[in-house]
Amino acid sequence: MTTARRLQRVINARNTSDGDGVKIRRIAGRDVLAQLDPFLLLDEMHSQDGADYMGGFPSHPHRGFETITYMLDGAMRHRDHLGNEGVVSSGGIQWMTAGAGVIHSEMPEQTDGLLHGFQLWLNLPASKKMTPAAYQEFDRTQIPVVKLEDDSRITVIAGTVTTPNGTVTGPVADIVTAPTYLDLQLAAGAQVQFPIDDTHTALLLVYSGATAELTDGQLGIYSHGDHVVIEASGSGARALLLAGSPLREPIVQHGPFVMNTEAEIEQAIQDYSAGCLLA
Ligand code: FE2
């Protein structure tokens, strides 16, 4: 017997800015954290106007979670204080496990033209919050795309997708919350179905067009069940499907630090101001 997941709650992304004045659409908030678990936040940057993004995200820290940067158009240069540097370019992804600490900058590699990308924050369990920082980086050629008969396309960043033509697994591996991260490009009226572990949280962010249930800028949170069915509207849809194993741990967040207790947040602030975030 199979149980389809139903849409339980819809969150509207809000327009805000972060970094040095970068305009974003953001899904976050204390009142939804428990339902997003293990995810914490999802930001979308999307502008043709350099004034909306050229300030970028100058040097800032992270501790206690993972940041996943996925670029559709344009590029972001990443530099951290360990000397790691790279560019996430169109179609590429950077999966950064910040763990005990990373201090980095994320700056657009352009001053005009289309910049479109996402940053997802994914929590780490208490047992992994102080692990050494680690990166997984993949460019467009390393991320599989499943093409369906109706010209729909499914980009498989993490997790597994099975179609009549076979099974495709994304390149991101060894993440403790066993996430699924799919970018769906659905043709008008297309219907797709994905099995999702019944214990996992499942979310869908529509970022262009609409589905039967969600419009552009809305995130849907699904009930439990063993699969999800998504139907594009008559104009088609672009959407991110996210799923992962919830941690069910206390969350104490202070800006870029996400820990389990107030004392751990105090420690993170002290370590950062003392210049020893990685200790
Ligand atoms: Fe960052």
Side-chain angles (χ1 to χ4, degrees):
M1 184 170 149
T2 64
T3 308
R5 288 169 176 258
R6 295 185 319 279
L7 205 59
Q8 260 191 329
R9 185 172 175 185
V10 177
I11 311 290
N12 293 305
R14 61 187 169 84
N15 294 313
T16 184
S17 66
D18 203 346
D20 187 4
V22 180
K23 289 187 179 170
I24 55 174
R25 289 202 295 188
R26 170 165 286 176
I27 299 285
R30 287 178 195 279
D31 63 320
V32 293
L33 268 183
Q35 286 179 289
L36 299 181
D37 183 15
F39 303 101
L40 297 162
L41 170 149
L42 180 56
D43 284 344
E44 179 186 13
M45 303 167 282
H46 190 189
S47 178
Q48 300 262 9
D49 181 356
D52 288 343
Y53 59 74
M54 60 195 290
F57 303 89
S59 181
H60 61 276
H62 295 282
R63 174 180 278 181
F65 61 105
E66 313 192 66
T67 70
I68 298 114
T69 304
Y70 174 44
M71 298 304 297
L72 291 175
D73 295 283
M76 291 284 269
R77 178 172 293 276
H78 160 264
R79 285 191 184 93
D80 78 11
H81 75 313
L82 299 170
N84 298 305
E85 181 170 354
V87 175
V88 188
S89 54
S90 176
I93 189 148
Q94 180 202 59
W95 198 290
M96 182 181 88
T97 304
V102 163
I103 301 168
H104 71 167
S105 62
E106 297 155 283
M107 304 298 288
E109 280 282 279
Q110 62 198 66
T111 55
D112 60 13
L114 180 58
L115 187 82
H116 191 190
F118 297 90
Q119 185 164 99
L120 173 68
W121 288 15
L122 172 57
N123 209 358
L124 286 167
S127 61
K128 301 283 185 188
K129 283 187 180 293
M130 295 300 284
T131 55
Y135 292 92
Q136 296 187 50
E137 292 175 317
F138 303 97
D139 66 26
R140 174 188 290 280
T141 65
Q142 297 170 296
I143 302 174
V145 177
V146 177
K147 293 171 184 157
L148 304 180
E149 283 183 3
D150 62 4
D151 288 333
S152 296
R153 297 158 65 91
I154 302 163
T155 302
V156 188
I157 294 163
T160 296
V161 169
T162 299
T163 71
N165 298 327
T167 295
V168 174
T169 297
V172 175
D174 301 324
I175 303 297
V176 66
T177 43
T180 297
Y181 190 153
L182 308 179
D183 181 11
L184 312 180
Q185 185 171 348
L186 301 179
Q191 183 174 303
V192 288
Q193 178 171 324
F194 301 100
I196 296 176
D197 187 308
D198 183 53
T199 65
H200 284 197
T201 298
L203 312 171
L204 186 76
L205 176 77
V206 174
Y207 65 89
S208 177
T211 66
E213 298 178 305
L214 299 166
T215 61
D216 182 16
Q218 291 188 318
L219 177 105
I221 301 173
Y222 289 96
S223 68
H224 285 286
D226 58 17
H227 67 282
V228 64
V229 179
I230 300 163
E231 185 181 342
S233 71
S235 56
R238 295 291 307 261
L240 303 181
L241 178 64
L242 305 169
S245 180
L247 298 173
R248 298 194 178 87
E249 293 181 358
I251 296 171
V252 183
Q253 179 174 359
H254 179 82
F257 305 129
V258 181
M259 305 300 288
N260 299 108
T261 68
E262 295 285 352
E264 290 167 346
I265 291 292
E266 286 303 316
Q267 188 65 54
I269 294 167
Q270 277 180 33
D271 288 350
Y272 180 48
S273 49
C276 55
L277 194 65
L278 301 180

